[in-house]
Amino acid sequence: MEKGRNPVSFSGPADENLVRPPADPRADRLLVAPVFVMSPVRSGSTLLRAVLNAHSELHAPHELHVRRLTVGYGTPLAEKAMTALGHNRADLEHLLWDRVLHRELVRSGKRTIVDKTPANAFAYARIAACWPDARYVFLLRHPASIAASWYEAGGERRTREDAAADALRYMKAVQRARKALTGLTVRYEDLTAEPEKTVRSICDFLGVAFEPGMLRYGDQGVLQKGLGDWKDKIRSGSVQPGRDLPDPGGIPDILKPMCRSWGYLSGGEGS
C-alpha cells in the first residue's frame, strides 16, 4: 500500500478495486477545489445551480452524472500495464471524471466548477476520495415538499407513497453525507424567501464576491430538459417564492423522522 493512500471499500462501477485519494494531487488532478451541491431530488438544486452559474467565476452546468462514467481493461496486458503505473480501475475512473469536469470548466472560461447532480449523495465517500479538496453545499427542503414535487414530476409512474419512499432514499443519502463531510447547509425555503441573504452566505463560503446579477440569472443555455428541473419558475430567469410549507397533519409517517431531524417538525407536531 502506498503511503498516504488509505483505501476504502467501494461498491459501484469499480467494485473489484479499492478507492483511494490521488497519489500525487498536483499531477493526478486538474480541478482545484471543485464544488458539489449535495441535495435530494426536487429540492431546488436546479434553481441554485442557475443562480450560481450566473456568477462570473462559477460554472454550474446541468447534471453531469460523472460518477457513472466507468473504464475497463480491454486485455490483461492493459491491466498489467496500468498496475505497473500504480493505477487500479478506480484510479483511472477518477482521472476520467476529473478530466471531464476540467474540460467543461475550461470551456466555460470560469474559475470554479459546481456539480449539483442529486445522485452524487449516494457516492459522497467516493467523491471525497477523488477530490480531497472538494467543497460541499448541502441543500435541504421540507421532506414533504420534496415528496410532493417528486410525485408531481413522475406523472403516473409512481404513487404518492412510492414517491415519498423513493425521495426519502435521497434524503437519507444527503444526511449521511452531511454527517461525514464538512460544508455549508442552506435551505430551499431560505433561498426563495431571502434570496440575497442566502446567496451571500454561499458566496462567503466559496470565497467569491456576491454579484447582484445572480438573483436575476436570466435565460441560461445550460438549462436542459431532462437534466434538472424544467418548470416555469426555473425558466422565469429570477428567484421566485416557494410553495407554502405542508400542513404538519398531512405529512406522511415515513417522512416524519426526517422532518424532525432537519428541523421542519417539532417533537409533538404531526403526531
Side-chain angles (χ1 to χ4, degrees):
M1 184 188 307
E2 297 175 356
K3 184 178 180 181
R5 305 188 77 189
N6 298 322
V8 296
S9 298
F10 168 71
S11 60
D15 55 2
E16 74 274 21
N17 294 304
L18 295 174
V19 175
R20 52 198 181 182
D24 184 353
R26 292 179 299 177
D28 295 346
R29 296 293 178 269
L30 297 174
L31 286 179
V32 176
V35 178
F36 293 91
V37 175
M38 294 286 183
S39 67
V41 291
R42 313 305 297 184
S43 59
S45 62
T46 300
L47 171 62
L48 180 57
R49 183 207 66 73
V51 168
L52 296 180
N53 191 64
H55 195 282
S56 61
E57 297 183 23
L58 304 175
H59 179 51
H62 59 68
E63 297 171 9
L64 297 175
H65 299 275
V66 293
R67 79 182 186 94
R68 292 301 187 185
L69 301 179
T70 64
V71 301
Y73 302 116
T75 65
L77 186 58
E79 180 176 5
K80 183 177 181 179
M82 292 300 99
T83 300
L85 292 178
H87 302 310
N88 61 27
R89 266 190 61 198
D91 297 333
L92 296 173
E93 287 174 357
H94 289 173
L95 291 172
L96 171 62
W97 298 358
D98 185 73
R99 181 66 181 91
V100 169
L101 291 186
H102 183 261
R103 179 182 184 273
E104 177 64 21
L105 178 62
V106 170
R107 286 168 60 86
S108 75
K110 297 185 178 182
R111 296 179 56 183
T112 300
I113 196 162
V114 180
D115 183 6
K116 71 91 173 175
T117 308
N120 281 344
F122 293 106
Y124 73 85
R126 178 130 192 218
I127 288 172
C130 180
W131 293 283
D133 62 345
R135 293 170 290 172
Y136 305 95
V137 175
F138 303 104
L139 178 63
L140 309 185
R141 186 183 184 184
H142 195 300
S145 295
I146 291 174
S149 182
W150 193 226
Y151 167 74
E152 293 163 3
E156 299 180 353
R157 294 197 301 272
R158 46 185 170 253
T159 65
R160 289 188 180 275
E161 292 75 18
D162 290 339
D166 191 38
L168 185 59
R169 293 191 309 112
Y170 285 87
M171 299 178 216
K172 289 181 175 179
V174 171
Q175 187 70 347
R176 290 191 293 269
R178 289 181 69 208
K179 291 181 177 179
L181 304 172
T182 299
L184 175 70
T185 296
V186 298
R187 297 177 185 271
Y188 169 78
E189 293 82 5
D190 294 335
L191 177 61
T192 54
E194 299 181 292
E196 180 171 339
K197 178 181 178 181
T198 304
V199 174
R200 281 185 180 276
S201 71
I202 298 173
C203 289
D204 289 343
F205 174 70
L206 298 180
V208 297
F210 170 75
E211 296 177 358
M214 299 174 73
L215 305 182
R216 301 180 299 277
Y217 52 84
D219 181 16
Q220 299 186 31
V222 288
L223 289 175
Q224 295 192 32
K225 192 172 184 178
L227 294 172
D229 195 359
W230 194 248
K231 289 187 175 180
D232 290 340
K233 282 187 177 182
I234 297 296
R235 290 184 286 164
S236 68
S238 62
V239 180
Q240 301 293 310
R243 68 171 75 186
D244 293 336
L245 291 181
D247 182 275
I251 298 174
D253 289 342
I254 192 176
L255 299 178
K256 288 178 181 177
M258 189 61 71
C259 289
R260 294 189 177 98
S261 178
W262 284 1
Y264 288 101
L265 195 63
S266 63
E269 286 185 297
S271 58

